[in-house]
Amino acid sequence: MTPLKNLDKLQPYPFERLRTLFAGVKHTGGLEHINLSIGEPKHPTPELIKQALINNLDGLAAYPATQGLPVLRKAIADWILRRFDAQVDTETQVLPILGSREALFSFAQVVLDDCAPESLVAFPNPFYQIYEGATFLGGASPVFVNIDPVTGLPDFQTLSPDVLSKIRLMYVCSPNNPTGAVYTLEDWQKLFDLADEYNIVIASDECYSEIYLDGTQAPIGGLEAASRLGRSDYNNLVVFSSLSKRSNAPGLRSGYVAGDAELIKAFLRYRTYHGSAMSVTIQMASVAAWNDEEHVIENRRLYTEKFNAFRDILQGTLELHIPPAGFYFWADLGRSDTEFAKTLFEHAHVTLLPGSFLGREAGGQNPGTNHVRIALVASLAECNEAANRIAHRIRNSI
C-alpha cells in the first residue's frame, strides 16, 4: 500500500533527531543523566487530582459524551472568568479536549476542510512541531514566521498581502515555546486586525499561561484580550489550554478549547466522529484541578526558584535571560547547537534540545540555529547540578 503523500512531508520529531544525534555517543564519566530536553513537568501531581480519580472510578463503566459533562464545562468556564475576566457560554463556547496537543492538530482539519491547494497556515518559527504536521495533513502549506531575536515573538504583519490572503489558519503561541515571550494587548489587537481583514482563524496555544514568574503579572490570554477589546463573540478566535503544565498532570490528557461558537460547533461535530470523548473519571479529576489554585501558585514558586538558581550558577559563562513565562531558557550559544548538545551529553551527561531541531529555514535562516532550549522540569537539585556541569564544560572550552 502506498503511504499518503502528505505523510511523506512530515519531518522527524525533534526527539527522534536528538536520538540520531546521540547515536553511538556514550557518557563515560559515571555521572547520573539529567534530561532537560523535553517539556514534561516533573513536579508531583497534586493529591487532590489523584484522590478525585480514585473517587470517580465508577466513571470507567460508562461511555462519555464528546461535549463533556456540564460540571466540567462549568468548572472550565468559571476558571476562565476568574483568570481572564472573560465569559464563555458553557453550551456553545467551550469543550473538553484530551490535552492541547491532539486538539491543536485536529482543529486544523476542521478549518482546512475542502481548502484550496494554495491555502496556507502561518505560525512562529521555531515552533511546536504539531503545527506543521497539522498543516501538511490538512492539505495546506506552512508559512514560517521567524521569531524576532529581541521580542521573542513572530511579527505576522511582515507577511505580504498576497500571502495573508491565502492564510486560512494562524497558530499563535503565548507564552511562546521556546522563548517564553508573551503578547501584549497591543499585540493581540494587531492579530485581531489581521484576522478581520483577511478572514483568518486564530488558534491560540496557551498551555504555558499559568507558568510565569512568581510575583509578576499573569500573561494576557486571547479570550481576555478579545473581551477587553470589545470582541466578546470571540470571532475567528479559538484558545487551547490544558492541565499538563498548570497542574503537573501530563498523563491526565485533559484540557479545553474555547472561543468562537461557530468554530466550536464545527469542532464538536468533527470530534463526535473522531472519537475524542474524555472519560468521566478524568473529567471529574479535571473539575478538581480547575477548581483549585493553591497548587498552581506553588508550582510557579518552584519554577521561579529554579530559574533564579540556574541563571546565577551560569553567570559569566552562559548569558541567560529569565523569560516572562514558560519553563524554558532559550539560550543563544554563539556556536553550533548540535555540537554543544552532543558534547554536553558525552562529557556532562546533560541533555538539552538543539534549537535548530525546533525550527525550519525561512528567509535564508533557521532562527533556532546556535540556540538550545533548556527545560527546567527536573528537581531544583538536579537543575542546579546540571547548571554546574554546563558551567564546568564551558569553562573548559566545550
Side-chain angles (χ1 to χ4, degrees):
M1 179 178 176
T2 303
L4 296 173
K5 292 181 180 179
N6 285 333
L7 279 175
D8 293 336
K9 299 176 183 178
L10 300 183
Q11 297 199 29
Y13 214 63
F15 304 107
E16 281 185 64
R17 297 180 66 181
L18 195 61
R19 284 191 291 271
T20 301
L21 178 68
F22 291 167
V25 178
K26 294 183 178 180
H27 171 66
T28 56
L31 298 171
E32 289 291 324
H33 182 226
I34 302 175
N35 189 354
L36 304 181
S37 67
I38 188 168
E40 181 181 18
K42 297 296 184 183
H43 298 163
T45 302
E47 288 300 320
L48 65 94
I49 296 178
K50 297 178 184 178
Q51 191 59 52
L53 284 169
I54 294 170
N55 293 346
N56 292 279
L57 290 177
D58 287 348
L60 297 175
Y63 280 121
T66 305
Q67 192 177 13
L69 296 170
V71 66
L72 174 56
R73 297 198 307 275
K74 184 179 186 303
I76 294 169
D78 288 347
W79 180 79
I80 290 172
L81 182 60
R82 291 194 305 273
R83 170 62 174 84
F84 298 110
D85 196 22
Q87 292 188 330
V88 293
D89 185 276
T90 58
E91 291 297 319
T92 62
Q93 293 182 313
V94 63
L95 289 174
I97 56 177
L98 306 181
S100 57
R101 176 174 176 162
E102 67 88 5
L104 285 163
F105 177 86
S106 58
F107 181 70
Q109 315 310 301
V110 175
V111 177
L112 299 174
D113 182 40
D114 196 30
C115 70
E118 67 272 15
S119 295
L120 303 174
V121 176
F123 46 85
N125 185 33
F127 58 95
Y128 183 39
Q129 306 293 289
I130 295 302
Y131 309 156
E132 183 184 57
T135 299
F136 284 137
L137 293 180
S141 298
V143 177
F144 304 109
V145 185
N146 290 350
I147 284 175
D148 185 293
V150 176
T151 66
L153 294 168
D155 187 354
F156 293 99
Q157 290 188 305
T158 61
L159 298 174
S160 70
D162 180 59
V163 170
L164 286 165
S165 67
K166 297 174 185 176
I167 293 175
R168 296 279 296 272
L169 176 63
M170 181 185 297
Y171 283 106
V172 301
C173 185
S174 178
N176 181 268
N177 172 14
T179 69
V182 299
Y183 284 120
T184 63
L185 189 62
E186 182 181 5
D187 293 328
W188 279 111
Q189 179 68 76
K190 292 177 182 178
L191 289 173
F192 294 147
D193 288 345
L194 285 179
D196 289 344
E197 183 174 357
Y198 295 97
N199 194 28
I200 298 170
V201 173
I202 296 175
S204 181
D205 180 357
E206 301 182 8
C207 70
Y208 294 94
S209 71
E210 304 315 289
I211 312 298
Y212 52 90
L213 291 181
D214 199 17
T216 63
Q217 185 174 358
I220 297 174
L223 298 176
E224 176 183 3
S227 293
R228 290 170 63 177
L229 293 169
R231 304 171 61 93
S232 56
D233 62 350
Y234 310 123
N235 182 51
N236 272 346
L237 170 67
V238 172
V239 168
F240 302 76
S241 191
S242 86
L243 293 171
S244 296
K245 275 73 174 180
R246 174 190 180 271
S247 299
N248 300 310
L252 200 64
R253 309 314 304 136
S254 177
Y256 70 80
V257 56
D260 185 315
E262 288 301 312
L263 290 170
I264 295 294
K265 180 180 179 181
F267 197 32
L268 173 59
R269 185 181 185 190
Y270 172 92
R271 295 175 72 76
T272 300
Y273 280 83
H274 184 57
S276 303
M278 183 187 296
S279 161
V280 171
T281 302
I282 300 297
Q283 289 190 61
M284 295 310 296
S286 302
V287 169
W290 291 117
N291 284 342
D292 182 77
E293 208 64 31
E294 290 303 313
H295 72 278
V296 187
I297 294 170
E298 173 61 10
N299 205 29
R300 281 196 289 272
R301 187 193 68 77
L302 292 173
Y303 282 120
T304 300
E305 185 179 25
K306 287 189 285 187
F307 267 123
N308 289 327
F310 202 94
R311 177 199 56 189
D312 291 348
I313 291 170
L314 281 158
Q315 192 103 31
T317 55
L318 181 63
E319 187 175 0
L320 295 174
H321 301 283
I322 298 179
F327 50 51
Y328 302 116
F329 272 119
W330 180 242
D332 186 351
L333 302 172
R335 66 185 83 181
S336 170
D337 53 317
T338 52
E339 286 304 310
F340 183 91
K342 188 175 179 180
T343 304
L344 195 64
F345 176 80
E346 181 178 8
H347 295 287
H349 218 192
V350 173
T351 301
L352 310 177
L353 187 65
S356 58
F357 290 2
L358 292 169
R360 300 286 183 264
E361 185 168 324
Q365 63 165 322
N366 180 336
T369 299
N370 296 340
H371 290 72
V372 288
R373 192 187 74 177
I374 307 170
L376 297 188
V377 292
S379 68
L380 175 63
E382 289 176 303
C383 286
N384 287 351
E385 173 63 19
N388 280 306
R389 294 184 198 176
I390 294 169
H392 177 74
R393 289 308 312 170
I394 292 175
R395 294 190 189 105
N396 286 274
S397 300
I398 191 170

